[in-house]
Amino acid sequence: MAGNSFGQLFRITTFGESHGTAIGVILDGCPAGLTIDLDFIQAELDKRKPGQSKITTQRKESDVVQILSGTFEGKSTGTPIAMLIPNEDQRSKDYGHNVDVYRPSHADYVYDAKYGIRDHRGGGRSSARETAARVAAGAIAKLLLKHHGIDIFAHVTAVGKINAPNLESNDIASLLELREANIVRCADPATANEMIEFIDSIRKDGDTVGGKIACIVKGCPAGLGEPVFDKLHADLGKAMLSINAVHGFEYGSGFDGTELRGSEHNDSPIPNPAAKGNGFLTITNHAGGILGGISNGMDITFKVGFKPVATIMHNQQTINAAGEAAEIKGKGRHDPCVVPRAVVIVEAMAALVLADHLLRNKTSKL
């Protein structure tokens, strides 16, 4: 089904369920000759895997990826790359209470309405477990982008009403070091400690909380994106909104920009001595690196908002499959806040969009 695939030239199709034998992805369109760094792919998956800390789900998955095809002697061959990630720690019995009862704010009812059948064990395909396959493919997209001098960095910028200050450094290596030094993946250490304490208190209450992730793309050349329906920010928005629990996307000045005058919001160009041809910089970057749906060479910036995880350890009113009133309480192992593990998912989806547009742009002119 098309709904399980993403991208045009650099295209992925994911498969598998939360409590099935395995999940995986087929990546088609990766150019031949790219060095496929398996250690890097595994390191990316390790950032997403469950059981990392006290503020994530305690499900234990090693998420060891197996590359089944599409590589030879450490290089991509240009043929489809298939990757498999076995499921090892399913506890399907934890979901016996919702076989015929719909969990509030989950996809249970809509899957029944659409397909007439659903996998109640962890939500099946609607589970965030599926995103591990995207991270594996996104790691290869990152390797392709790195080859072209493009880097992506995301971090947790808000948990509930706790907000981190704007980043002062533009050095991705130092920001990565700061982010990975704490379990919430916020690049501001003081804010990170406050976030961790808050999430842990929420977990002890049997409740959940949402948050925001900010992302920056550095080194992206001007010219990526299409002028009408496949605008770069539109495809980034689609990618982010396809991630479980995402409820909002904004790029550049976002909603804050609606409060400014045009004289305040316009980004004035200045010459860029390092650029070839007509390249330029802008004094400000309210556009978020995108003009008319096409990258302008400035940093691409956007934010993604995540709702609170829907499974809570409290009694809630609901209905059953017969439409009768019922009550349900969450069971099993779940994240009290999804954003610490979602950072690498945001980066992966951004990388997939940019890799696709990078390849598409090679056909735009002689």
Side-chain angles (χ1 to χ4, degrees), residues 8 24 35 52 56 73 88 90 99-100 144 193 202 210 218 220 229 240 247 255 274 318 331 347 349 358 361-362:
Q8 292 193 20
T35 298
Q52 295 181 38
T56 64
E73 296 182 343
E88 301 170 337
Q90 312 97 311
V99 174
D100 294 312
L144 177 63
N193 290 333
I202 290 288
K218 300 188 75 67
C220 183
F229 295 113
M240 298 307 138
H247 268 218
F255 287 104
T318 185
K331 294 181 180 180
E347 290 184 347
M349 292 307 297
L358 186 71
N361 197 49
K362 293 184 180 296

Side-chain angles (χ1 to χ4, degrees), residues 22-74:
I23 55 174
V25 61
I26 298 173
L27 167 59
D28 203 1
C30 180
L34 180 69
T35 298
I36 304 299
D37 186 341
L38 185 58
D39 289 339
F40 175 74
I41 297 171
Q42 190 60 59
E44 292 291 280
L45 283 165
D46 289 347
K47 295 173 187 173
R48 196 223 68 97
K49 71 179 182 181
Q52 295 181 38
S53 70
K54 65 181 180 180
I55 61 170
T56 64
T57 171
Q58 294 307 295
R59 178 171 174 169
K60 297 294 183 183
E61 296 285 353
S62 62
D63 279 356
V64 175
V65 64
Q66 304 169 23
I67 298 182
L68 307 180
S69 67
T71 67
F72 180 67
E73 296 182 343

Side-chain angles (χ1 to χ4, degrees), residues 214-262:
C215 186
I216 183 170
V217 181
K218 300 188 75 67
C220 183
L224 302 193
E226 301 299 328
V228 184
F229 295 113
D230 289 347
K231 296 178 188 291
L232 186 58
H233 61 271
D235 279 0
L236 284 169
K238 179 179 179 179
M240 298 307 138
L241 290 165
S242 75
I243 300 171
N244 308 64
V246 170
H247 268 218
F249 168 83
E250 62 179 17
Y251 73 101
S253 62
F255 287 104
D256 288 341
T258 64
E259 301 174 4
L260 301 179
R261 298 186 180 192

Side-chain angles (χ1 to χ4, degrees), residues 127-185:
S127 168
R129 179 95 187 112
E130 178 270 341
T131 59
R134 308 190 199 191
V135 170
I140 295 179
K142 282 185 176 182
L143 292 171
L144 177 63
L145 295 175
K146 179 74 77 173
H147 180 76
H148 290 272
I150 303 171
D151 288 304
I152 301 173
F153 171 80
H155 84 124
V156 174
T157 189
V159 169
K161 295 181 180 180
I162 302 171
N163 290 278
N166 292 330
L167 297 175
E168 295 183 0
S169 172
N170 277 322
D171 178 52
I172 295 237
S174 63
L175 290 174
L176 276 170
E177 186 176 347
L178 287 169
R179 184 190 78 184
E180 293 303 313
N182 62 79
I183 58 177
V184 78
R185 291 202 166 89

